Amino acid sequence: MALDTLTTRLLPASTAAIAEAARVLAAGGLVAFPTETVYGLGADAGNGEAVARLYAAKARPVFNPLIAHVGDVAAARRLAQFNDAAERLAAAFWPGPLTLVLPRRTGGGVSDLACAGLDSIAVRVPAHPVALALISAFGGPVVAPSANRSGHVSPTSAAHVLADLDGRIDLILDGGATAVGVESSIVSCIGAPTWLRPGGVAREAVERVLGTALAERHPAPRDGDAGDDAEAPLAPGMLQSHYAPAARIRLDATAACNGEALLAFGPDVPAGAAMTLNLSPRGDLTEAAANLFSHLRALDASGAATIAVMPVPRTGLGEAINDRLARAAAPRP
Ligand code: TXA
Ligand code: MG
């Protein structure tokens, strides 16, 4: 497939459009669809050629494996081996913004390319009616990374997807803005349960269900180290500078300097920015997560050279918000 030569259709996510999207997937095409976290770019998990087109459309490194999206835990058990911890987490958080990394079952039907050759697999059951209806209509696992070009901010609306992938994918199902706004949390249940990526489920909630503290991924990413996704991946997509707007990002800002755009949080916002958007005027972390990527995109589109970001608490969903902000601020490769 030559890039930028497809006609990308944008359809409201009606029953008919979902049925059409399932046909496109079955024919090896690429469909962007809403989940409760961010929009995903879906392909037939079992079709290696479709998965190759997906990597090309995103300009994604081929060694970075994809999450298989399924309709329920029974379908997930056909792809992966569940231990006790995995069963408990699935029961507590699915459908929902948690991805489990588990030993991969042979014959599960997910192509090697989608798993980047690993003997583990990432699976999740999304909590969005359009995503679940699409998986059901297609009748098998759908692999889907976030529907942005590799290295760009994840899309939380159909318009964001179109801005990044117009001409590179077949169809976008428009289901409105996503509710959670940051990607799923990722927990590996291979060996001791390990926290691979903070996201839409808070670490504290996962630890409460497990009854133990999560292990940390090792080695932890170092500041300014853009190379943590190369050879032996744990969460290989966790490139340090991953969520990059064009503007420079200045963290922990308590004032806005000349010409800067300001990403604010909470009721007390300093004056003087060229443009200000508030993640949550009432200081609510769930609301802030939902607004994070769309506010970053809008401030970036203002053309400001720097986006100053006010401090956001690190508890609950604040861990994922701070993680994405730190990546956006990291030096670019
Ligand atoms: O909320 C989400 O998770 C969204 C929606 C669309 O579901 N998806 C998403 O996918 O964020 P993506 O591809 O942008 O991020 C998936 C992460 C990557 O960091 C990837 O390296 C990691 O999951 N991953 C996938 N398979 C893995 C595996 N077997 N072991 C460790 N990490 C894995
Ligand atoms: Mg992504």
Side-chain angles (χ1 to χ4, degrees):
M1 175 188 74
L3 292 172
D4 295 301
T5 58
L6 294 174
T7 303
T8 301
R9 286 181 293 162
L10 174 61
L11 300 176
S14 64
T15 307
I18 291 167
E20 171 61 9
R23 284 191 289 273
V24 171
L25 289 177
L30 304 179
V31 174
F33 62 96
T35 81
E36 79 282 23
T37 58
V38 300
Y39 274 71
L41 178 58
D44 175 356
N47 182 338
E49 268 177 55
V51 173
R53 280 197 287 275
L54 190 159
Y55 284 121
K58 276 191 61 108
R60 169 170 223 174
V62 176
F63 46 71
N64 194 353
L66 305 173
I67 298 171
H69 295 69
V70 293
D72 54 33
V73 68
R77 288 196 200 99
R78 290 196 282 274
L79 309 182
Q81 290 164 27
F82 277 65
N83 59 13
D84 179 56
E87 290 288 356
R88 294 224 304 275
L89 292 176
F93 297 110
W94 283 356
L98 179 72
T99 293
L100 297 177
V101 170
L102 302 169
R104 184 180 166 196
R105 267 190 206 290
T106 48
V110 176
S111 68
D112 281 333
L113 186 60
C115 296
L118 301 174
D119 50 19
S120 60
I121 186 167
V123 282
R124 93 174 181 99
V125 179
H128 193 292
V130 173
L132 290 171
L134 177 63
I135 292 162
S136 163
F138 172 65
V142 175
V143 285
S146 50
N148 51 280
R149 290 217 200 183
S150 196
H152 287 196
V153 168
S154 288
T156 56
S157 73
H160 295 163
V161 178
L162 194 65
D164 259 25
L165 296 174
D166 191 15
R168 301 168 78 95
I169 65 177
D170 298 287
L171 180 60
I172 302 170
L173 289 175
D174 187 350
T178 62
V180 175
V182 292
E183 300 85 345
S184 59
S185 299
I186 306 182
V187 172
S188 167
C189 290
I190 299 172
T194 303
W195 190 235
L196 297 185
R197 178 174 78 176
V201 172
R203 173 202 296 259
E204 299 90 322
V206 173
E207 292 184 333
R208 221 174 294 128
V209 168
L210 290 173
T212 56
L214 286 156
E216 295 302 315
R217 63 191 289 263
H218 188 78
R222 281 171 290 133
D223 270 0
D225 178 2
D228 70 328
D229 78 333
E231 253 104 70
L234 248 188
M238 297 304 284
L239 278 168
Q240 192 71 21
S241 109
H242 187 74
Y243 296 85
R248 205 179 78 82
I249 303 289
R250 185 170 73 81
L251 297 177
D252 293 321
T254 49
C257 308
N258 227 348
E260 283 182 338
L262 179 68
L263 185 62
F265 179 83
D268 304 316
V269 179
M275 174 182 181
T276 298
L277 289 175
N278 199 326
L279 289 170
S280 175
R282 59 195 163 96
D284 179 81
L285 289 168
T286 302
E287 182 183 35
N291 286 328
L292 178 65
F293 292 135
S294 58
H295 281 11
L296 272 176
R297 277 182 188 260
L299 292 173
D300 204 24
S302 78
T306 301
I307 301 171
V309 182
M310 288 176 67
V312 175
R314 292 175 179 276
T315 51
L317 291 194
E319 187 186 2
I321 295 170
N322 278 287
D323 173 84
R324 305 307 188 271
L325 287 170
R327 286 168 203 287
R332 312 287 155 77

